[in-house]
Amino acid sequence: MQNALSYSHQLLKEVLQPGDLAVDATMGNGHDTLFLAQLVGRTGHVYACDLQEQAIQNTKKRLEEAGLLSRATLLLTGHETLDQYLPEKELKGAIFNLGYLPQSDKAIITQPETTLLAIQLLLDRLSRKGRVVIVCYYGHSGGLAEMEQVRQFCKQLSQKEYAVLNYQFINQQNQPPLLFCIEKK
């Protein structure tokens, strides 16, 4: 069985093709941005955002080392503002890793209000069979509340328009991450 992170990549790998538009809504250290840049190829593009300059620098370095910086636009902004930057092209895939930037200030965390706004704006741009993947790390202050609000948001989505998957190991200690995948029908 795959952990939440590797399964999130599998879910996006199944839908993203060269030429597609993808979003990393929580850039962090750039692992997902790099993964998406590889999937969309030379003709696709990734928009990645984060509130911390450290995330931008870490991601830029990672993409430069892989020779893929030209495939991504790195934005120092909150994910709730992505609609101001995305082109008028349909989105094929997006990923969120909710929580905090590893090896940084753990007081700076994603917030449910902005996360839900960002998820909705990405769903509004999502193409048919496109996916928004949300990995919730909730073992920190505020994390459980955010995860529950994301769960409630996902539960209320119309089953005629979306299929929503919830994936989690339930017999592991230390709050293993929980994954949601929203696919537009």
Side-chain angles (χ1 to χ4, degrees):
M1 281 191 253
Q2 297 181 43
N3 65 28
L5 180 62
S6 62
Y7 193 46
S8 71
H9 284 193
Q10 178 61 40
L11 290 165
L12 290 169
K13 195 176 202 178
E14 291 172 3
V15 297
L16 281 168
Q17 300 292 316
D20 284 339
L21 174 65
V23 167
D24 183 352
T26 51
M27 187 186 322
N29 288 310
H31 297 285
D32 289 332
T33 307
L34 175 60
F35 173 72
L36 295 172
Q38 292 166 334
L39 292 178
V40 301
R42 290 189 316 269
T43 58
H45 203 74
V46 177
Y47 285 80
C49 65
D50 206 292
L51 289 173
Q52 298 180 71
E53 182 63 37
Q54 179 185 351
I56 299 284
Q57 295 311 314
N58 294 347
T59 302
K60 183 177 180 184
K61 182 178 182 211
R62 188 173 307 284
L63 291 171
E64 284 174 335
E65 288 172 355
L68 300 178
L69 185 59
S70 64
R71 296 183 188 183
T73 299
L74 308 182
L75 304 165
L76 184 61
T77 188
H79 46 224
E80 73 279 8
T81 68
L82 273 165
D83 59 339
Q84 298 172 31
Y85 302 96
L86 296 177
E88 289 300 317
K89 182 178 177 182
E90 282 192 321
L91 175 69
K92 193 62 181 224
I95 189 164
F96 290 77
N97 280 291
L98 303 180
Y100 55 83
L101 177 63
Q103 292 93 43
S104 72
D105 183 353
K106 291 180 177 55
I108 302 173
I109 60 172
T110 54
Q111 300 293 322
E113 300 79 20
T114 58
T115 295
L116 296 178
L117 284 171
I119 294 169
Q120 184 61 62
L121 79 86
L122 293 176
L123 290 178
D124 291 344
R125 292 173 170 264
L126 197 61
S127 68
R128 187 175 166 278
K129 298 295 181 187
R131 292 179 178 165
V132 174
V133 176
I134 307 147
V135 182
C136 297
Y137 295 89
Y138 58 94
H140 60 280
S141 178
L144 187 59
E146 183 175 39
M147 182 193 68
E148 285 303 326
Q149 288 186 45
V150 170
R151 181 194 311 273
Q152 289 307 312
F153 176 89
C154 289
K155 282 176 114 175
Q156 61 81 30
L157 289 171
S158 167
Q159 68 178 3
K160 292 179 182 176
E161 295 178 58
Y162 300 99
V164 182
L165 168 81
N166 181 192
Y167 182 86
Q168 179 186 32
F169 289 98
I170 59 172
N171 68 336
Q172 294 181 359
Q173 297 177 349
N174 302 319
Q175 297 90 20
L178 182 139
L179 180 144
F180 297 100
C181 178
I182 306 169
E183 181 178 278
K184 191 169 192 175
K185 291 184 176 182

